[in-house]
């Protein structure tokens, strides 16, 4: 599904990733861990074409990312749901419209959008807050909106960058359980986190990045 | 389809940013009013120029000794010229009759004459595109070589003046209209650019969610077209009121004012032009989107 081969990324003279190679199977749930600044977020960015790599090759499904044309990027991104560390919610839209946006971009009818958004908001336990402004909600609630937006279009891949970043332990467990459920439905999920509690006892594969390289592969 | 979303987003932006949009609509309307009035002026000038062209003619004086057959042949030669739209033969007798009618009470001065001193002539109407000093002079020189033609009255200077008057006004009008049209595009461009920058963060987010270029551009193009359309509508209403006031108030004092025409097609044309200029300005403002 996702294939990294000797991928390197440099920012000016600073090496963020150096010759990183790994494979992720379809339907797998993978954790990427490491200290802050290790390159976890950059690795996710490279997958969703939020940044370009300097060496190597990344293959995602049928796309070779070194050869992807600019005009293909929107369609490519439609296969990916992203849970951003800083949420990236639209302040002027309600919870419902923030989630619906992912479907509007995909050209679905308003009727279908309504059905799907209601279902996903119920799943993340936010149905009662559908008309609220996201900025008026708590960090955990905002995080769940972002997850709802990432999964509503049922993408093949979900990338989650520190999805429990500023949340309390109980809410964090809820979020991870939610992502596990989504994974059980067949989506490939990659979670970047610096917190070992999240993958402990999950039985999922964990890649540890340090000093721009994958230094260890283990089971959670 | 995302057109519903684009329309809603465009209207939301129009309301949220009402003051900058209102200012833009009024600026567009002011420019379009000048363009419409200039267009109206040129349209009426062209009508006037057409009338002047219709009135312009050359007079060819013929040899009195020409026989009827020779005159017929000569008329056929003149009519076959590319520059000539129509010919009218004026016999000696018709010329005298027309002159007497023209002089009215003074016509008695010809009563004592035993002989008609006037010569037969042919009045030539010239096609509009050939009315300029050079063509008229060339035609005059050519006709001079034909047997049976004594003299030609061509009034080259009048022909040139009509042409110069019409050309100058048209050119001046077009320059003003092009300048103001560019101004309208620039005003809409600046407004949409400001709105685009205000929504920059939002645009970056929807890009990451998989939005295509057309999904991002569409609300801005709709917003630009609404600004242009509304500007066009206001300018048409104001221009028509201005035209109505001018013809109604000044018509009795200056009768020629009543002959001015406000073509109804202009209403639809300027609404479409307004919307099109809005779309062009917005399209340039959004520019190339990078992913």
């Amino acid at each position: 599904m996702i294939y990294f081969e000797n991928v390197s990324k440099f920012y000016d003279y600073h090496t963020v990733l150096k010759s990183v190679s790994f494979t992720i199977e379809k339907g797998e749930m993978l954790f990427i861990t490491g200290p802050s600044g290790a390159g976890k977020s950059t690795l996710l960015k490279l997958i969703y074409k939020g940044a370009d790599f300097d060496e190597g090759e990344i293959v995602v499904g049928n796309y070779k990312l070194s050869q992807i044309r600019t005009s293909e990027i929107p369609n490519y991104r439609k296969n990916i749901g992203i849970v951003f560390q800083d949420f990236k919610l639209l302040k002027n839209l309600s919870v419902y419209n923030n989630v619906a946006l992912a479907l509007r971009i995909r050209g679905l009818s308003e009727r279908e959008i309504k059905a799907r958004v209601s279902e996903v908001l119920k799943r993340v336990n936010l149905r009662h807050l559908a008309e609220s402004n996201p900025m008026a909600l708590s960090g955990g609630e905002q995080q769940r909106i972002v997850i709802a937006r990432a999964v509503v279009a049922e993408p093949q891949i979900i990338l989650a960058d520190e999805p429990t970043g500023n949340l309390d332990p109980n809410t964090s467990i809820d979020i991870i359980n939610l992502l596990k459920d989504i994974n059980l439905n067949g989506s490939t999920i990659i979670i970047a986190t610096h917190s070992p509690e999240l993958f402990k006892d999950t039985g999922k594969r964990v890649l540890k990045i340090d000093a721009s390289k994958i230094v260890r592969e283990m089971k959670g | 389809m995302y057109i519903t979303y684009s329309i809603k987003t465009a209207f939301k932006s129009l309301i949220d940013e009402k003051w900058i949009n209102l200012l833009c609509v009024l600026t567009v309307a002011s420019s379009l009013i000048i363009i419409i009035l200039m267009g109206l002026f040129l349209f009426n000038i062209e009508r006037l120029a057409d009338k002047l062209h219709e009135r312009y003619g050359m007079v060819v004086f013929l040899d009195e000794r020409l026989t009827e057959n020779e005159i017929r042949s000569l008329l056929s030669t003149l009519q076959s010229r590319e520059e000539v739209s129509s010919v009218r033969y004026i016999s000696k007798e018709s010329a005298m009759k027309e002159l007497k009618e023209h002089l009215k009470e003074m016509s008695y001065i010809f009563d004592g004459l035993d002989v008609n001193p006037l010569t037969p002539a042919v009045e030539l109407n010239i096609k509009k595109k050939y009315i300029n000093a050079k063509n008229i002079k060339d035609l005059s020189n050519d006709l001079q070589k034909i047997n049976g033609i004594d003299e030609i009255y061509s009034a080259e200077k009048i022909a040139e003046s009509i042409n110069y008057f019409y050309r100058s006004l048209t050119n001046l009008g077009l320059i003003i209209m092009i300048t103001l049209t560019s101004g309208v595009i620039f005003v809409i461009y600046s407004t949409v650019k400001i709105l685009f920058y205000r929504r920059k963060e939002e645009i970056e987010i929807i890009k990451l969610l998989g939005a295509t270029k057309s999904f991002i551009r569409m609300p801005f193009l709709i917003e630009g077209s609404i600004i242009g359309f509304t500007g066009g509508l206001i300018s048409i209403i104001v221009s028509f009121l201005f035209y109505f006031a001018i013809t109604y108030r000044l018509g009795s004092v200056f009768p020629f004012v009543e002959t001015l025409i406000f073509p109804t097609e202009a209403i639809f044309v300027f609404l479409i032009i307004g919307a099109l200029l809005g779309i062009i300005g917005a399209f340039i403002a959004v520019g190339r989107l990078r992913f």
Side-chain angles (χ1 to χ4, degrees):
Chain A
M1 182 81 197
I2 302 173
Y3 180 62
F4 270 59
E5 188 185 10
N6 293 320
V7 175
S8 298
K9 171 71 184 167
F10 311 105
Y11 280 123
D12 298 325
Y13 298 104
H14 175 61
T15 304
V16 186
L17 291 172
K18 182 70 185 164
S19 299
V20 171
S21 299
F22 65 91
T23 305
I24 304 171
E25 298 301 327
K26 191 177 179 188
E28 190 181 349
M29 185 169 180
L30 174 86
F31 287 89
I32 295 170
T33 190
S36 297
K40 305 185 294 293
S41 297
T42 302
L43 193 144
L44 297 187
K45 265 189 187 173
L46 296 183
I47 296 174
Y48 68 75
K49 281 296 279 181
D52 292 324
F53 48 92
D54 299 301
E55 288 171 5
E57 181 63 277
I58 303 173
V59 181
V60 179
N62 298 323
Y63 292 97
K64 266 190 172 182
L65 297 197
S66 62
Q67 291 167 18
I68 195 167
R69 287 197 299 259
T70 314
S71 58
E72 291 176 319
I73 293 175
N75 272 336
Y76 167 70
R77 283 184 180 155
K78 282 175 186 151
N79 296 317
I80 303 173
I82 313 169
V83 180
F84 297 99
Q85 190 175 8
D86 57 354
F87 306 151
K88 293 198 189 299
L89 289 167
L90 302 186
K91 296 165 193 152
N92 55 343
L93 296 183
S94 65
V95 170
Y96 175 90
N97 282 320
N98 261 287
V99 179
L101 188 60
L103 299 177
R104 290 196 173 114
I105 284 171
R106 287 161 175 84
L108 270 70
S109 71
E110 283 301 315
R111 201 172 152 187
E112 203 170 344
I113 290 171
K114 195 175 176 186
R116 283 223 213 170
V117 174
S118 299
E119 190 194 317
V120 82
L121 286 181
K122 190 179 167 190
R123 206 161 151 198
V124 296
N125 200 20
L126 284 175
R127 209 168 174 179
H128 61 294
L129 296 172
E131 295 310 315
S132 307
N133 186 302
M135 299 305 120
L137 305 179
S138 70
E141 286 163 335
Q142 289 188 21
Q143 190 69 274
R144 279 187 280 154
I145 302 168
V146 181
I147 291 172
R149 186 179 65 185
V151 304
V152 71
E154 296 170 0
Q156 295 171 343
I157 301 165
I158 292 168
L159 307 175
D161 191 5
E162 300 286 2
T164 59
N166 300 310
L167 306 180
D168 62 74
N170 287 338
T171 316
S172 300
I173 301 287
D174 284 349
I175 297 280
I176 290 301
N177 287 337
L178 181 64
L179 288 170
K180 272 187 191 169
D181 287 350
I182 292 161
N183 174 239
L184 285 175
N185 290 329
S187 296
T188 306
I189 300 185
I190 306 171
I191 301 168
T193 178
H194 66 272
S195 167
E197 288 78 25
L198 286 191
F199 52 81
K200 200 171 77 179
D201 302 329
T202 57
K204 305 293 182 187
R205 194 154 65 106
V206 180
L207 297 180
K208 185 172 183 187
I209 300 183
D210 200 0
S212 317
K213 288 181 176 174
I214 294 178
V215 291
R216 200 175 151 199
E217 185 175 328
M218 53 194 168
K219 282 272 179 193
Chain B
M1 277 302 287
Y2 52 76
I3 192 74
T4 321
Y5 164 80
S6 302
I7 293 169
K8 276 185 188 170
T9 309
F11 273 97
K12 192 173 182 303
S13 173
L14 282 166
I15 294 163
D16 289 350
E17 307 283 353
K18 54 184 170 294
W19 295 116
I20 187 170
N21 283 319
L22 183 67
L23 190 68
C24 183
V25 166
L26 292 178
T27 314
V28 168
S30 311
S31 304
L32 285 177
I33 287 169
I34 300 172
I35 292 174
I36 292 172
L37 293 179
M38 188 56 71
L40 196 66
F41 177 68
L42 287 180
F43 175 76
N44 283 285
I45 283 292
E46 186 162 356
R47 281 179 58 238
L48 183 69
D50 278 345
K51 281 189 180 164
L52 287 175
H53 283 128
E54 280 165 20
R55 287 188 179 193
Y56 176 78
M58 280 173 80
V59 182
V60 175
F61 296 99
L62 306 181
D63 186 339
E64 284 186 60
R65 290 162 298 178
L66 290 178
T67 65
E68 209 167 297
N69 277 344
E70 284 170 330
I71 292 171
R72 205 166 283 133
S73 159
L74 187 67
L75 286 176
S76 164
T77 309
L78 294 173
Q79 181 69 74
S80 66
R81 294 283 308 199
E82 173 64 26
E83 304 91 329
V84 175
S85 62
S86 66
V87 296
R88 185 171 75 99
Y89 174 68
I90 307 162
S91 65
K92 281 171 68 120
E93 294 72 29
S94 303
M96 177 56 80
K97 197 177 160 201
E98 279 182 26
L99 186 61
K100 280 183 175 176
E101 276 170 11
H102 187 70
L103 291 172
K104 291 174 186 167
E105 296 91 37
M106 297 283 285
S107 62
Y108 66 87
I109 57 170
F110 295 109
D111 288 351
L113 289 175
D114 294 335
V115 202
N116 181 350
L118 302 177
T119 52
V122 178
E123 195 178 276
L124 306 177
N125 276 321
I126 308 298
K127 287 177 187 164
K128 188 178 158 186
K129 62 177 175 180
Y130 292 107
I131 300 178
N132 63 55
K134 186 184 176 298
N135 285 336
I136 298 296
K137 193 166 185 178
D138 289 348
L139 178 64
S140 182
N141 289 340
D142 284 355
L143 297 183
Q144 203 82 63
K145 291 170 195 160
I146 299 174
N147 279 336
I149 292 180
D150 269 357
E151 204 180 332
I152 294 168
Y153 174 73
S154 62
E156 295 148 32
K157 284 193 174 169
I158 292 176
E160 188 55 26
S161 300
I162 293 173
N163 217 35
Y164 181 75
F165 170 72
Y166 174 67
R167 267 203 329 259
S168 307
L169 282 177
T170 308
N171 290 342
L172 181 70
L174 286 177
I175 289 168
I176 294 172
M177 285 167 83
I178 289 168
T179 310
L180 287 172
T181 303
S182 312
V184 168
I185 293 175
F186 182 74
V187 168
I188 296 173
Y189 159 85
S190 310
T191 307
V192 175
K193 197 81 181 169
I194 292 168
L195 300 175
F196 184 79
Y197 275 118
R198 285 195 185 171
R199 289 183 54 205
K200 189 104 179 128
E201 193 187 340
E202 185 185 329
I203 289 162
E204 289 307 316
I205 294 171
I206 60 173
K207 271 187 200 171
L208 294 174
L209 298 180
T212 55
K213 287 180 184 179
S214 56
F215 185 91
I216 297 166
R217 275 198 191 111
M218 194 60 81
F220 293 102
L221 298 186
I222 292 172
E223 196 168 351
S225 69
I226 292 171
I227 291 172
F229 184 87
T230 316
L233 186 68
I234 293 172
S235 63
I236 283 284
I237 293 169
V238 173
S239 304
F240 190 76
L241 289 176
F242 181 76
Y243 161 79
F244 183 73
I246 289 274
T247 47
Y248 183 73
R249 292 272 179 188
L250 297 179
S252 52
V253 188
F254 305 106
F256 79 91
V257 172
E258 281 186 330
T259 65
L260 295 177
I261 287 177
F262 191 105
T264 45
E265 295 87 348
I267 295 171
F268 305 104
V269 168
F270 275 92
L271 289 178
I272 293 167
I273 286 178
L276 274 179
L277 294 179
I279 291 171
I280 294 169
F283 191 83
I284 302 170
V286 176
R288 286 187 63 192
L289 294 165
R290 291 175 194 282
F291 285 90

